[in-house]
Amino acid sequence: MRNRLSKTDRRTMILDAAAALFAAKGVDGTEMEDIRQACGISRGGLYHHFANRRDVLDGLVDREISALARVLDDESQSPLPAILRAGSGHLGAETGLLSALRTGADRQDYLAAVDTALIRHVAPRLALRLRGQVRDGVDPEHVAELFLTVNAHINRRQILGHWDNRAAAAFAGTALRALAPLLADPDQLTPMISTLAGKDAP
């Protein structure tokens, strides 16, 4: 008798199969039927979890950002440096996801999914961790929103091909220098600003 997967395990199986297909064929080159066949499930079984390919992409991004947000649970690290370090190597780490975005429409869909997932998973955790780490009179939720707004702008510019890594690093450094005075300990951003300045150098 075959073991019946839980709803969570079935969803994970579908996302894993989709990630591999997206990496091999691109998001635009993958059909829902490809995902269904790779999973060996019925159409009803697939569409019970995901309505369409965009929904699958959203699920992959949500899973990725949820994992990224967990770095904020480590209270031994300052939250902004922690999320910066993790995010620089994490975004798009889901198997070949960034390289699978081969059309402008797929890139726009990915960016929209990232924005939604950041608001869902990172914003509340970051605001919570920033309590007691901002200057008197500064709202930690505002600092979290400012940080994520800048992050979203950099993501968009890079993924749409408007900025290379050097331009992104230069803007990120400027943004962190502007953000630092809002923190009770502005020096916590100094190492990251120095690292970005190195990436910005010709």
Side-chain angles (χ1 to χ4, degrees), residues 145-189:
E145 288 290 340
L146 282 169
F147 175 82
L148 292 176
T149 299
V150 169
N151 181 75
H153 182 70
I154 294 171
N155 287 340
R156 180 165 298 278
R157 289 286 195 156
Q158 280 198 287
I159 289 171
L160 295 181
H162 302 156
W163 283 353
D164 59 15
N165 288 341
R166 181 178 168 189
F171 184 85
T174 299
L176 290 180
R177 284 191 291 273
L179 196 62
L182 300 176
L183 303 178
D185 175 19
D187 292 338
Q188 67 178 276
L189 295 182

Side-chain angles (χ1 to χ4, degrees), residues 2 5 7 9-11 15 45 53 74 83 104 121-122 124 128 133 138 143 150 161-162 175:
R2 189 171 62 178
L5 293 177
K7 184 176 180 179
D9 289 344
R10 176 63 57 87
R11 181 181 173 86
L15 289 176
R53 188 173 58 194
D74 181 358
I83 199 75
H121 296 294
V122 176
L128 185 64
Q133 299 207 23
V138 174
V143 176
V150 169
H162 302 156

Side-chain angles (χ1 to χ4, degrees), residues 43-184:
R43 286 182 177 83
L46 174 60
Y47 285 97
H48 174 73
H49 294 277
F50 299 100
N52 49 45
R53 188 173 58 194
R54 167 67 190 274
D55 200 20
V56 175
L57 179 62
D58 288 351
L60 285 168
V61 172
D62 189 81
R63 181 168 78 171
E64 179 179 55
I65 300 299
S66 176
L68 171 63
R70 286 196 285 274
V71 305
L72 293 169
D73 296 339
D74 181 358
E75 295 188 6
S76 69
Q77 299 186 67
S78 296
L80 290 180
I83 199 75
L84 281 166
R85 283 192 298 270
S88 63
H90 200 287
L91 192 62
E94 183 80 60
T95 311
L97 199 49
L98 286 180
S99 63
L101 306 172
R102 298 175 186 171
T103 69
D106 286 340
R107 292 185 186 97
Q108 293 284 4
D109 286 346
Y110 174 82
L111 287 164
V114 168
D115 287 348
T116 298
L118 286 171
I119 290 168
R120 178 181 180 192
H121 296 294
V122 176
R125 274 181 164 128
L126 184 56
L128 185 64
R129 286 295 318 282
L130 283 169
R131 289 181 185 173
Q133 299 207 23
V134 295
R135 294 181 60 183
D136 289 344
V138 174
D139 189 328
E141 289 188 12
H142 293 172
V143 176
E145 288 290 340
L146 282 169
F147 175 82
L148 292 176
T149 299
V150 169
N151 181 75
H153 182 70
I154 294 171
N155 287 340
R156 180 165 298 278
R157 289 286 195 156
Q158 280 198 287
I159 289 171
L160 295 181
H162 302 156
W163 283 353
D164 59 15
N165 288 341
R166 181 178 168 189
F171 184 85
T174 299
L176 290 180
R177 284 191 291 273
L179 196 62
L182 300 176
L183 303 178

